[in-house]
Amino acid sequence: MALTHLNERGEANMVDVSEKIPSVRQAHAQAVIKMSAEAFDLLTQGKHKKGDVFAIARIAGIQAAKKCADLIPLCHPLMLSKVQVDFEIEQSNCSIKVLTMCKLTGQTGVEMEALTAASVAALTIYDMCKAVDKHMQIVDTKVLAKSGGKSGGWQLAQTDNEQES
């Protein structure tokens, strides 16, 4: 299997997508941030001293998706048509699941943009809540699904644990 991000001399190489047919492409990703009960309660009740953590994290995630090519060297700059950042509150384990979706009509996928949005939104929650809980963990960052392009759609299979929740 040939590596797509290396040229014939083994040097870093941005993939040429100019011959690909544009199609509607979409990707969904997630990141989970686990925290103490105290930090979780402040966050979910909107009583955090730094203000509306979810609003700031949502904006940070959207901005991050738009800046993905500036952060990850061989990513193509993309004209995103939609970036969505949502949060699922998971009371049972004091965690927040950051769920993102990126969409465009173009010649390359948007998985990295969705992952970047989820990661930066979770990092923003960490930054805004770290005064209350320095031991938060960001875990389970992954692509959940993608659609479009030559290879079509793909969805991550749920594990037994995920199906039970």
Side-chain angles (χ1 to χ4, degrees), residues 66-83:
K66 295 177 356 183
K67 293 289 191 179
C68 185
D70 293 336
L71 300 169
I72 302 174
L74 299 178
C75 282
H76 293 84
L78 301 178
M79 284 296 275
L80 296 169
S81 56
K82 176 75 175 163
V83 178

Side-chain angles (χ1 to χ4, degrees), residues 91-112:
Q91 183 88 33
S92 62
N93 60 1
C94 294
S95 67
I96 306 297
K97 185 182 287 185
V98 180
L99 296 165
T100 62
M101 185 277 294
C102 292
K103 184 177 181 180
L104 59 64
T105 299
Q107 296 165 295
T108 189
V110 290
E111 297 92 334
M112 295 309 300

Side-chain angles (χ1 to χ4, degrees), residues 157-165:
Q158 290 184 327
T159 64
D160 291 336
N161 290 343
E162 290 171 325
Q163 290 173 355
E164 291 171 6
S165 42

Side-chain angles (χ1 to χ4, degrees), residues 25-28 109 111 143-149 151-155:
R25 296 162 183 264
Q26 187 169 308
H28 297 261
E111 297 92 334
V143 175
L144 300 172
K146 73 170 236 45
S147 62
S151 62
W154 170 88
Q155 187 167 359

Side-chain angles (χ1 to χ4, degrees), residues 1-2 11 22 47 129:
M1 178 205 283
E11 300 164 336
K47 295 182 178 177
C129 297

Side-chain angles (χ1 to χ4, degrees), residues 29-144:
Q30 75 167 36
V32 176
I33 182 162
K34 297 179 177 185
M35 61 191 67
S36 68
E38 179 186 8
F40 182 82
D41 289 344
L42 287 171
L43 175 61
T44 57
Q45 293 171 16
K47 295 182 178 177
H48 203 281
K49 289 181 182 180
K50 291 193 175 183
D52 189 343
V53 175
F54 288 125
I56 301 302
R58 179 173 284 113
I59 292 167
I62 292 167
Q63 285 181 321
K66 295 177 356 183
K67 293 289 191 179
C68 185
D70 293 336
L71 300 169
I72 302 174
L74 299 178
C75 282
H76 293 84
L78 301 178
M79 284 296 275
L80 296 169
S81 56
K82 176 75 175 163
V83 178
Q84 185 171 326
V85 178
D86 293 308
F87 305 99
E88 280 186 10
I89 295 169
E90 298 185 345
Q91 183 88 33
S92 62
N93 60 1
C94 294
S95 67
I96 306 297
K97 185 182 287 185
V98 180
L99 296 165
T100 62
M101 185 277 294
C102 292
K103 184 177 181 180
L104 59 64
T105 299
Q107 296 165 295
T108 189
V110 290
E111 297 92 334
M112 295 309 300
E113 287 71 15
L115 283 166
T116 300
S119 299
V120 171
L123 286 167
T124 302
I125 293 170
Y126 183 98
D127 182 49
M128 293 186 74
C129 297
K130 68 183 182 231
V132 178
D133 181 4
K134 292 172 182 29
H135 302 289
M136 288 177 286
Q137 295 179 18
I138 298 171
V139 299
D140 210 18
T141 302
K142 59 189 172 189
V143 175
L144 300 172

